[in-house]
Amino acid sequence: MFSFDPYSPAVDADPFPFYRTLRDEHPCFWSQEANMWVLSRYADIVTALNDWQTYSSARGNLMTELPNRAGATLGTTDPPRHDRLRGLVQHAFMKRNLASLDGAIREAAIDALQPLLGQRQFDFVEDFASKFTVKVLFRVLGLPPGDEVAVRDRAVLMVQSDPATRQKGPAHIAAFNWMSEYASGIIAERVKQPGEDLISQFSLAEIDGERLSEREVLLTTTTLIMAGIESLGGFMSMFALNLADHAEARRRVVADPALLPEAIEESLRFNTSAQRFRRCLTRDIELHGQQLKEGDFICLAYGSGNRDERQFANPDVYDIDRKPRGHLGFGGGTHACLGTAIARMAVKMAFEEFHRVFPEYSRVQEQLPWMPSSTFRSPLRLDLAVG
Amino acid sequence: MVMITYVEPNGGRQEIDVPEGWSLMQGAMSNGVDGMEAECGGSCACATCHCYIDEAALALIPPAADNEAAMLENVVAERRPTSRLACQVKATAALEGILVELPAAQS
Ligand code: HEM
Ligand code: FES
């Protein structure tokens, strides 16, 4: 009997064969292990993303949710509350308002590369991606320098789950609590002495004449740090992996960095780092002959929709000329990623600089250690041989 | 399915069957229509899914909510009375056959 267990190490390592069976044979599948329905076809996922009234995020959007988040953050509320929260922060993430960060982002890449000069081999994740992403996120969110390493380590742990218990384990919860306390300290400072930064604005903002609740400010800030650092770092590692494995594509983007943006889009499709998110049904529906009930959880398998041959021709081929518009790498609809513009800009600059120094690289490990996560997919370590 | 005719910036026309409930942006992005950028993925945060809806059809569509109206201020092409953000307009049976025109620039 076919089963699909998003907690199993086999799915962490290679979910794609499972996805194919899901799409072809069980387009609306009840996963016993995850205790939710799984939607795997592009069109079904897009339909869900265009209908938040039915597919609600208010009971959480991470496959394995963290305590208290449901109902209190951008990713875990529905309109109209969601739109108002989002309205408070999204100006900071609009493309035109990010232009001022150009120099700082490039500098972060150059700084992170400095210690690697002259090395023959290093871990892309630890030695470059994470150093770069924390620097960028600290700038965007206006966090005080000094705690980068501690923050990054916790952000990575927070999104993981325990494969045995299928829940967040003590280490994951401890990381989440640490991050909440860290965020809470920053918020307290900003409320006392507000600056021009995003967290100051958010802490003091009002919706309909009412200040946001402490819990909203705290969990939204915590989520921004987690979502920003982990998602950006995870995706960069997947992009590096794709370019390491596809030498011809890499040589083309090295020779002509103007091709980077399209290569980034193709990697968002091909190796979706944000594999699966969840929703909760607000009413009974029928789908592919199954009866789904109000209150049932639904997994939207973005990583599968992005490999759906009904939408993308030869989906298992990595092709930087594909222009995979409409891919699900950032989700879509009301809850589409807040960080799309900063993520695209930061990854592009990071690789422009990385390729200047290391135009040739290849993967060292045959088997990669994959992060144990029911939501995200990226290697914990990616050793690259350079030169 | 709702048949929508997209008019691309170079004047090309594409007739697309858009599933009911999908946004007009989604219908264009998933079918390779030119002239749509949709940087933000449909969260009403980028104003790069600007389109002009044919005047007769405008009355069939709920008016722009506050967040769409505010974001429309950011479009780069000429803003007209028929301007909408395509990610905020859903394909419904009533829109069968309408023309959706895409501007020359989105960003
Ligand atoms: C390449 C890097 C990134 C990827 C692949 C990614 C992916 C995603 C995806 C798939 C979602 C949708 C979640 C859902 O459907 O429930 C999402 C939402 C979100 N992302 Fe990202 N993300 C990235 C970078 C960032 C960055 C840099 C930030 C911010 C600093 C960020 C902040 C958020 C937030 C706040 C949401 C919730 C938005 C809402 O519900 O309105 N992300 N991201
Ligand atoms: S897609 Fe960004 S505003 Fe419509």
Side-chain angles (χ1 to χ4, degrees), chain A residues 49 61 74-75 82 86 93 137 224 227-228 231-232 235 268 273-274 277 279 302 328-331 334-339 342-343:
Chain A
L49 291 176
N61 71 333
L74 280 179
H82 164 270
R86 189 150 171 153
F93 293 90
L137 258 290
L224 275 178
S231 310
L232 190 54
F235 175 69
L268 283 164
S273 50
F277 279 84
R279 299 292 187 261
Y302 298 149
L328 302 170
F330 287 120
T334 305
H335 286 285
C337 180
L338 174 73
I342 180 84

Side-chain angles (χ1 to χ4, degrees), chain A residues 338-360:
Chain A
L338 174 73
T340 57
I342 180 84
R344 285 175 168 132
M345 168 174 158
V347 176
K348 177 172 156 280
M349 287 195 188
F351 279 80
E352 282 168 4
E353 295 306 322
F354 188 80
H355 286 158
R356 244 190 264 284
V357 186
F358 301 119
E360 282 290 327

Side-chain angles (χ1 to χ4, degrees), chain A residues 42-44 46-47 49-53 82-83 86 90 94-96 311 325-326 328 330-338 340-342 344, chain B residues 19-23 26 28-47 67 71 74-76 87 90 107:
Chain A
Y42 178 86
D44 292 331
V46 168
T47 296
L49 291 176
N50 277 271
D51 184 6
W52 58 263
Q53 288 91 338
H82 164 270
D83 293 358
R86 189 150 171 153
Q90 74 186 9
M94 279 182 75
K95 203 168 178 178
R96 68 194 55 179
Q311 177 65 25
R325 297 166 76 232
L328 302 170
F330 287 120
T334 305
H335 286 285
C337 180
L338 174 73
T340 57
I342 180 84
R344 285 175 168 132
Chain B
E20 242 178 289
W22 287 26
S23 70
Q26 190 74 55
M29 290 297 280
S30 299
N31 288 286
V33 172
D34 279 340
M36 189 83 80
E37 240 168 69
E39 165 95 42
C40 80
S43 57
C44 199
C46 70
N67 58 341
M71 193 50 62
N74 294 304
V75 299
V76 298
C87 70
K90 289 215 147 90
S107 64

